[in-house]
Amino acid sequence: MFPLGSQPLDHNALRQHVDTALAPLLAATPARVSLSLRDLDGGIVLARHADRLQPSASIIKVPILLALLDAAAAGRYSLEQPLALPASGDRAGGTGILAHLPSVATLSLAELARLMIVLSDNVATNALIELLGFDAVNQWSLRAGLTASRLQRRMMDAAAREAGRDNFTSAGDATAAFCWMLRDGALPAPLRAFALDVLADQRERAHFGAALPAPARLASKAGQLPGLRHDAGILTVDNRSVVLAVLADGFTDWQTAQTLQGGEGAALLGQIARVVALGLKAQALAH
């Protein structure tokens, strides 16, 4: 089970540590960097351009996951119920594995949710979007306080993007989604544990997870497009936890600008997460 820290944060000390360490990193990058750092109750520790609207890439899959679990908590779905997948010729490409497994015709909602987060599977994501509907996900976002987030297209729908129908969010919304999940009464304990479990099992570790000090623990969801690198999640170090989101675009190095993996963008997000983790570790040592 993913550990949530119970020790209180020194907000001022953490803010000063992160501000000081971030200054040279942000000065050295051409990217636009949005950051939101909160405690587990949603209190803002640090915000930098946190309301800036940006294409969400795959971190939009967190609201889809939480909208599904909210609906399951209300009895509209069961995570054990099966859902048929489209024929292989109608499956989205990109990240994930189901596009390459045409013999897999049906999976449970729990299995689809796990694949959507752990492997960022686009076939699983589109199946859940089809089940829930765009309106239901967007209405959940509004109820949860995600004022900038909007799901407007399925994964890998290039025609929709060209027509201006993209998926959007902000760093502030990304942390708000996680804080909603942790709020007392938002989800029954088993569904919250399921969400934390799949987020902690995300296999994309080239962003926040790349340079964390031991014994840091991370439950997050990354997203990447050419020129864009995002990550958002919960970071726990020595019984202290924070919710962190970094959304960054405008990178000019070839690997970040032209590909979906690595580059200076992923490295920057790893450095920022390490800065925050070391700030949490310093608080533990001070007490």
Side-chain angles (χ1 to χ4, degrees):
M1 184 173 179
F2 183 80
L4 296 172
S6 60
Q7 292 299 310
L9 294 177
D10 184 333
H11 285 53
N12 289 333
L14 184 58
R15 183 184 306 112
Q16 183 176 357
H17 169 89
V18 174
D19 258 336
T20 300
L22 282 188
L25 296 177
L26 298 180
T29 180
R32 301 187 311 162
V33 179
S34 302
L35 181 147
S36 176
L37 180 63
R38 302 181 189 239
D39 61 29
L40 297 187
D41 294 324
I44 295 174
V45 178
L46 180 63
R48 287 178 171 268
H49 309 293
D51 295 330
R52 179 187 291 150
L53 189 67
Q54 293 181 256
S56 65
S58 283
I59 63 171
I60 199 67
K61 293 170 183 176
V62 175
I64 296 170
L65 170 69
L66 297 180
L68 171 67
L69 298 182
D70 190 37
R76 292 193 289 276
Y77 305 108
S78 165
L79 293 187
E80 288 72 39
Q81 76 183 69
L83 186 65
L85 298 175
S88 59
D90 297 323
R91 297 188 182 188
T95 53
I97 191 65
L98 289 176
H100 308 288
L101 300 176
S103 65
V104 179
T106 303
L107 289 171
S108 71
L109 299 189
E111 290 167 330
L112 290 169
R114 186 173 293 277
L115 285 170
M116 177 176 68
I117 299 300
V118 173
L119 296 182
S120 205
D121 193 285
N122 289 327
V123 176
T125 305
N126 286 349
L128 292 175
I129 291 173
E130 189 71 21
L131 174 76
L132 296 167
F134 291 94
D135 287 346
V137 176
N138 290 326
Q139 288 167 10
W140 175 86
S141 293
L142 289 175
R143 292 197 306 272
L146 281 62
T147 57
S149 297
R150 189 76 179 167
L151 177 69
Q152 299 185 110
R153 66 168 177 85
R154 295 171 178 81
M155 301 300 108
M156 303 301 290
D157 188 344
R161 288 192 70 193
E162 291 172 3
R165 298 193 312 276
D166 207 349
N167 301 324
F168 293 99
T169 192
S170 67
D173 273 16
T175 52
F178 281 86
C179 291
W180 178 90
M181 177 181 66
L182 298 174
R183 190 181 306 156
D184 286 343
L187 287 175
L191 292 179
R192 180 193 293 180
F194 174 82
L196 287 169
D197 177 53
V198 298
L199 288 159
D201 199 25
Q202 182 197 199
R203 302 303 167 89
E204 174 53 78
R205 293 290 170 173
H207 298 79
F208 280 179
L212 291 176
R217 299 284 297 277
L218 178 66
S220 76
K221 182 72 192 81
Q224 53 271 354
L225 291 169
L228 174 156
R229 297 291 188 266
H230 299 337
D231 209 343
I234 303 165
L235 180 60
T236 299
V237 182
D238 292 329
N239 206 21
R240 286 174 172 81
S241 295
V242 292
V243 184
L244 173 66
V246 179
L247 280 58
D249 61 15
F251 293 97
T252 57
D253 66 290
W254 181 88
Q255 190 166 357
T256 309
Q258 301 295 325
T259 77
L260 298 179
Q261 302 295 329
E264 293 177 7
L268 177 63
L269 266 62
Q271 291 172 307
I272 293 173
R274 180 175 175 82
V275 162
V276 175
L278 290 175
L280 294 174
K281 196 170 184 69
Q283 292 199 12
L285 293 174
H287 292 83

